[in-house]
Amino acid sequence: MTPRAALRTRYDRATAHLDAPLAIVDLEAFDANAADLVGRAGGKPIRVASKSVRCRALLERVLARDGFSGIMSYTLEESIWLARAGFGDVLLAYPSADRAGFAELAGDAKLAAAVTVMADDPAQLDLIDRARSGGAEEIRVCLELDTSLHLLGGRIRFGARRSPLRTPADLAGLARAIVARPGFRLVGLMAYEGHVAGVGDAVAGSPLRSRAVRLMQSAARRELAQRRAAVVHAVRAAAPELEFVNGGGTGSVQHTASEDAVTEIAAGSGLYVPTLFDNYTSFSGRPAALFAQPVVRRPGVGVVTVLGGGYPASGAAGRDRLPVPFLPEGLRYHPLEGPGEVQTPLLGPPADDLLIGDKVWFRHAKAGELCERFDSLHLVEDGRVTATVPTYRGEGRTFL
């Protein structure tokens, strides 16, 4: 029996009492991936990116491990919900325009102490002040550095278009403005190098592209390490009590952790290991999150149809954003149909061995987005389902 066939047998037996569609998290793989992240972080704490997990029970599980500390959230509403649930260190990774949320934050000392908001523009601070509704609590603020690599005088750019703050002078100027502004306290600096941490450098069948990505990432790491050190020095001059400097992502943990200027690493997708992380030379993990769809039709020789399955991931549209049929090994999409909203035909020799009601297991292209499709995750350990826990959606929380 091949390793993939053994996995299929394990998951089918563990969920034999459950009807698909369903989603699972393999806790043995999840814990092994967590240990790998800690090892690559080299002693620096890992802040868990909640958007890549979207399940409170699993956030609690990983934060109970040595090497993990704090949450990186994605909306202010989520940040407040997590803080009220007992998570005491929540960094909101994106600016917000949630006026009701800011009023709640500014009016509650416990929340204000637990949540740090993101800023890269004085106008964002103005919005917070207008939203306070009399709340006088000090708002914790983190600045974001643009990490993108600029070549040929900026005519070529690699990296996401995020913060407008790029130079030490840019960051230091806003840092001084925050320090001088009543009602705010500058506590952190964040820099997410997505073009290094979130782009695969070993894409199957694309050796030239993969080589070009590795060259770009090597240049980006060198440039950013120098610029980030200078930025941190400049910001600390304006705010000596800066508490943290956050950087990284699953694909760049060990590289970012090697920088003296960085005090903590952000990571989350590496816990589930979706398919977008199959194309990396920097690490390899174990797929931990999967979903199953039931076979509902057998239209002909070499084809079966499963219910649903059309769960594309965010980002630039392409085949790499589609779920991948994983178990049994050897199934593929019909080239003219792909994964559908209500049904998905699958081709390949294994189709002839599948019966009505059998499960076909898929991996999602991205991590936490899978949880927007399912109310619960069945946790598999020791060959059985040991618990069923709600996703954010299952708790009635859809933040975006």
Side-chain angles (χ1 to χ4, degrees), residues 58-313:
L58 290 175
L59 288 173
E60 291 168 353
R61 182 183 183 92
V62 73
L63 285 169
R65 298 178 64 98
D66 290 340
F68 290 86
S69 180
I71 287 177
M72 177 175 282
S73 60
Y74 60 98
T75 74
L76 182 56
E77 183 185 5
E78 179 211 15
S79 306
I80 291 172
W81 179 64
L82 290 173
R84 291 205 182 282
F87 295 95
D89 178 8
V90 182
L91 168 63
L92 174 56
Y94 307 88
S96 176
D98 181 355
R99 291 174 294 179
F102 284 128
E104 188 175 357
L105 192 65
D108 188 309
K110 181 180 177 181
L111 287 181
V115 176
T116 300
V117 305
M118 192 63 59
D120 56 35
D121 189 317
Q124 295 155 351
L125 307 179
D126 295 339
L127 186 148
I128 294 172
D129 272 338
R130 291 194 301 270
R132 284 179 181 270
S133 298
E137 295 299 330
E138 190 173 59
I139 303 299
R140 292 167 54 86
V141 177
C142 176
L143 299 181
E144 181 171 0
L145 164 68
D146 169 43
T147 65
S148 60
L149 174 65
H150 290 189
L151 301 175
L152 300 179
R155 291 190 292 274
I156 298 177
R157 172 194 177 111
F158 297 99
R161 297 181 181 274
R162 292 176 60 114
S163 172
L165 305 176
R166 179 169 179 80
T167 68
D170 293 338
L171 277 293
L174 186 51
R176 287 191 294 269
I178 294 172
V179 169
R181 185 166 182 156
F184 296 91
R185 180 155 63 98
L186 180 59
V187 298
L189 174 68
M190 187 191 87
Y192 171 58
E193 52 268 37
H195 52 304
V196 178
V199 178
D201 63 348
V203 180
S206 301
L208 294 180
R209 178 181 181 274
S210 298
R211 173 64 174 163
V213 169
R214 288 194 292 272
L215 290 172
M216 178 276 291
Q217 291 178 337
S218 178
R221 287 196 300 267
R222 290 193 301 271
E223 186 275 337
L224 180 58
Q226 295 176 357
R227 184 156 53 91
R228 181 154 42 197
V231 164
V232 171
H233 179 77
V235 171
R236 286 195 184 278
E241 297 182 0
L242 202 69
E243 296 175 12
F244 64 86
V245 176
N246 181 281
T250 289
S252 68
V253 170
Q254 63 269 41
H255 302 297
T256 308
S258 69
E259 296 182 34
D260 292 338
V262 175
T263 66
E264 63 175 39
I265 310 299
S269 295
L271 295 168
Y272 287 170
V273 186
T275 62
L276 284 177
F277 286 95
D278 290 348
N279 303 317
Y280 281 72
T281 58
S282 61
F283 82 104
S284 61
R286 293 170 55 181
L290 300 95
F291 68 94
Q293 304 296 117
V295 173
V296 292
R297 284 177 171 166
R298 292 170 51 87
V301 175
V303 56
V304 293
T305 301
V306 299
L307 183 70
Y311 307 154

Side-chain angles (χ1 to χ4, degrees), residues 29-39 46 62 65-66 68 270-271:
F30 182 90
D31 289 345
N33 294 334
D36 174 75
L37 288 169
V38 170
I46 297 172
V62 73
R65 298 178 64 98
D66 290 340
F68 290 86
L271 295 168

